[in-house]
């Protein structure tokens, strides 16, 4: 799902042979076939006997993974996250303008790809878009927004450069506080004119890369 959503496999493309895919994902052909069947049931694959497995256009993956632009150096990787803290507070003065409220939920997380630590992130959700319940969070915040808060992120704008790692980053994140790391700032929009979310992500350039694909 992650690789289809990110555009690594494009709509209409035939996937590599099953034995090659099994090797790529470090699993058995039997387990791979079960997974392909699940993707077919979700409408993301068309399996043609004697021809192969073809990617279909489907929103199941896009809503969860398509806006996560960090990948392992070799490509792909399943994104997961540990929540470091969730707070509801007045927006600090150093945040850029976004949303319509003077309060926001702040989520800090440690990010993984295939269980490898790759980033720390800080997400601010405007208070008028809802208040985040830390007990209900999933690895995909966009999935949480849609299913728990009743809105969906339709588009986002990223700016990418380098910046010092914040002092709240845990020891598990490779670079130390103050070290220079890859840096992403993102504004996200839903069904209103103002951005509903602002986020900033510091990523370890030895462990991950930022990828944007054109379809």
């Amino acid at each position: 799902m992650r690789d289809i959503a990110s555009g690594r496999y494009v709509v209409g493309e035939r996937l590599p042979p099953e034995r090659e895919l099994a090797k790529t994902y470090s699993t058995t052909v039997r387990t791979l076939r079960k997974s392909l069947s699940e993707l077919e049931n979700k409408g993301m694959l068309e399996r043609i006997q004697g021809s192969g497995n073809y990617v279909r256009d489907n929103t199941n993956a896009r809503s969860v993974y398509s806006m996560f632009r960090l990948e392992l150096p070799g490509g792909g990787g399943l994104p997961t996250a540990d929540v470091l803290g969730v707070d509801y507070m007045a927006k600090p003065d150093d945040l850029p303008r976004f949303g319509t409220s003077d309060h926001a939920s702040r989520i800090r997380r440690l990010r993984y790809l295939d269980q490898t630590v790759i980033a720390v992130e800080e997400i601010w959700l405007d208070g008028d878009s809802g208040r985040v319940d830390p007990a209900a969070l999933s690895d995909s915040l966009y999935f949480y927004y849609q299913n728990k808060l009743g809105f969906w992120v339709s588009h986002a704008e990223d700016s990418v450069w380098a910046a010092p790692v914040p002092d709240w980053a845990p020891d598990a994140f490779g670079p130390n506080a103050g070290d220079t790391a890859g840096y992403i700032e993102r504004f996200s929009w839903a069904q209103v004119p103002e951005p509903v979310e602002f986020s900033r992500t510091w990523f370890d350039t030895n462990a991950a890369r930022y990828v944007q694909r054109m379809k």
Side-chain angles (χ1 to χ4, degrees), residues 70-153:
L70 292 176
E71 295 189 359
L72 295 170
L78 179 67
T80 54
D82 289 339
V83 176
L84 303 175
V86 178
D87 299 285
Y88 188 77
M89 63 179 69
K91 294 176 180 176
D93 293 337
D94 67 333
L95 286 187
R97 177 182 172 83
F98 73 99
T100 53
S101 172
D102 59 359
H103 281 67
S105 292
R106 184 190 69 187
I107 306 112
R108 286 176 171 171
R109 305 199 297 180
L110 182 67
R111 297 304 306 247
Y112 301 79
L113 285 173
D114 287 352
Q115 302 182 342
T116 297
V117 176
I118 55 114
V120 288
E121 65 182 2
E122 183 178 84
I123 306 104
W124 295 84
L125 178 67
D126 185 62
D128 287 339
S129 295
R131 190 162 176 169
V132 173
D133 176 7
L137 283 179
S138 62
D139 286 330
S140 170
L141 278 180
Y142 293 161
F143 185 80
Y144 172 84
Y145 295 161
Q146 184 170 345
N147 285 272
K148 299 297 183 180
L149 299 182
F151 70 90
W152 61 95
V153 170

Side-chain angles (χ1 to χ4, degrees), residues 11-126:
V11 174
E13 180 179 355
R14 183 173 65 181
L15 296 183
E18 291 180 354
R19 290 190 181 278
E20 183 179 329
L21 278 178
K23 184 178 180 181
T24 298
Y25 293 108
S26 301
T27 189
T28 65
V29 172
R30 181 180 179 184
T31 299
L32 175 80
R33 286 174 178 165
K34 290 181 180 179
S35 299
L36 294 178
S37 293
E38 287 295 318
L39 293 178
E40 184 180 27
N41 292 337
K42 292 177 183 294
M44 297 172 62
L45 284 184
E46 181 179 5
R47 308 184 74 185
I48 301 177
Q49 185 69 30
S51 179
N53 301 294
Y54 293 83
V55 177
R56 294 182 60 187
D57 188 20
N58 191 276
T59 58
N60 271 312
R62 288 202 301 271
S63 63
V64 180
Y65 296 126
S66 61
M67 291 188 184
F68 191 71
R69 298 297 181 189
L70 292 176
E71 295 189 359
L72 295 170
L78 179 67
T80 54
D82 289 339
V83 176
L84 303 175
V86 178
D87 299 285
Y88 188 77
M89 63 179 69
K91 294 176 180 176
D93 293 337
D94 67 333
L95 286 187
R97 177 182 172 83
F98 73 99
T100 53
S101 172
D102 59 359
H103 281 67
S105 292
R106 184 190 69 187
I107 306 112
R108 286 176 171 171
R109 305 199 297 180
L110 182 67
R111 297 304 306 247
Y112 301 79
L113 285 173
D114 287 352
Q115 302 182 342
T116 297
V117 176
I118 55 114
V120 288
E121 65 182 2
E122 183 178 84
I123 306 104
W124 295 84
L125 178 67
D126 185 62

